[in-house]
Amino acid sequence: MPKQPVHESQVAMPEPRVALVSGGGTGIGAAIAQSLRDAGWNVVIFGRRPSLLAAVSEATGAVPLSADVTDEEAPAQLVSSTLAMFGRLDALVLNAAVSRPGRFAELSDTDWRVMTDTNLISAARLTRACLPPLVQTGGSVVGVASLAALRASSFMSGYAASKAGLGLMLQSVAVEYGKQGVRANLICPGLVRTDMSEQSLTLLSEQRGITVDDAYSLATSNVPLRRAGTPEEIAGVVRFLVSPDAGYLTGAIIPVDGGASAVDVAALVYESDH
């Protein structure tokens, strides 16, 4: 006898994947939430500023949870709330960060503690809390660092050290938990047009007497793509890394910087656009 057609309602549809995104209220974190929502994910965003989280939630449909990443009790509560809502966790995106620029000799112990606690220790604490449900789903962790984790510059020693540490932490997770199906990777964006970079470039524009757009052009004059990135471009890489398409990619530290980290600075003397 011919097979009876199967109605769509009789087919078990796969559950939407679930991501937890720290620092989800602004810039790159908000773009990651939007990108994952566009891909059909359920997304939980958290940070310290409820009003910003609410705006991203309204725009994207992500679930906002107000929490301070440095609160030692927060990770367990965030994971518990996420599992209560969705019953699973497939990805953790470590996007929250803080920077205290300054000359190396002038950074205080407090400056170092603030950056290390937020950018590294809190990331480790959150990752630890998320590992049990990530093992169950064969999920992944993506850290969002900076080109500062790969290349040194003036006034950024504390931030750079904490972000470089994040990379080795995630590689350790990749090695230890790979056998259980968990992947972990780090991306290192270059200059990206966010509110944070806008403040820095506005200061540069005032110092040089140029427009903010000209300041961006100046800051990226030696970047092969000759421009800053967008939050959406960074979010697209994160979206790929947490997807099945990146199923064999783990332990990687990936620059997303318009080619900046590939430049031989000593050879710039020979550079010509003509």
Side-chain angles (χ1 to χ4, degrees):
M1 294 181 63
K3 291 183 178 180
Q4 294 297 315
V6 178
H7 191 273
E8 188 179 72
S9 64
Q10 297 174 283
V11 179
M13 301 299 289
E15 289 185 81
R17 292 190 291 273
V18 180
L20 179 61
V21 181
S22 70
T26 58
I28 292 173
I32 291 169
Q34 181 69 71
S35 183
L36 292 179
R37 288 290 295 152
D38 289 345
W41 286 63
N42 287 319
V43 178
V44 177
I45 55 173
F46 77 92
R48 293 177 297 177
R49 293 174 285 183
S51 61
L52 296 178
L53 294 170
V56 175
S57 174
E58 184 176 356
T60 66
V63 177
L65 294 177
S66 181
D68 185 342
V69 72
T70 63
D71 180 355
E72 293 186 13
E73 305 299 323
Q77 295 170 357
L78 288 164
V79 172
S80 176
S81 296
T82 300
L83 294 178
M85 285 185 285
F86 300 114
R88 60 186 292 156
L89 180 65
D90 300 85
L92 167 64
V93 182
L94 300 167
N95 177 66
V98 65
S99 174
R100 289 196 173 182
R103 294 183 182 278
F104 173 79
E106 296 171 0
L107 289 178
S108 67
D109 284 357
T110 298
D111 292 327
W112 278 90
R113 288 191 187 99
V114 167
M115 288 184 279
T116 303
D117 191 20
T118 300
N119 302 346
L120 183 55
I121 296 173
S122 295
R125 188 183 297 126
L126 183 57
T127 302
R128 189 167 60 237
C130 289
L131 276 171
L134 289 176
V135 167
Q136 290 183 354
T137 58
S140 68
V141 184
V142 177
V144 180
S146 163
L147 189 56
L150 303 176
R151 299 289 184 270
S153 63
S154 298
F155 313 119
M156 296 297 287
S157 57
Y159 180 76
S162 63
K163 286 298 189 178
L166 180 64
L168 266 294
M169 184 200 88
L170 289 178
Q171 286 186 322
S172 297
V173 171
V175 171
E176 289 189 35
Y177 289 87
K179 63 180 70 69
Q180 297 179 63
V182 175
R183 299 182 297 107
N185 296 288
L186 183 79
I187 64 169
C188 297
L191 181 62
V192 178
R193 295 197 75 138
T194 63
D195 289 343
M196 184 179 296
S197 66
E198 201 78 9
Q199 294 174 11
S200 176
L201 271 295
T202 297
L203 179 61
L204 177 63
S205 73
E206 293 170 351
Q207 292 172 341
R208 299 294 180 93
I210 58 179
T211 68
V212 174
D213 283 341
D214 286 341
Y216 272 104
S217 295
L218 179 62
T220 57
S221 59
N222 292 317
V223 174
L225 290 185
R226 297 297 193 268
R227 65 174 178 85
T230 68
E232 291 74 22
E233 288 173 316
I234 307 305
V237 178
V238 173
R239 176 171 162 174
F240 164 70
L241 287 173
V242 300
S243 76
D245 290 338
Y248 200 57
L249 179 57
T250 193
I253 296 178
I254 305 169
V256 189
D257 59 3
S261 58
V263 174
D264 179 352
V265 294
L268 288 176
V269 66
Y270 304 107
E271 184 76 15
S272 173
D273 289 329
H274 303 292

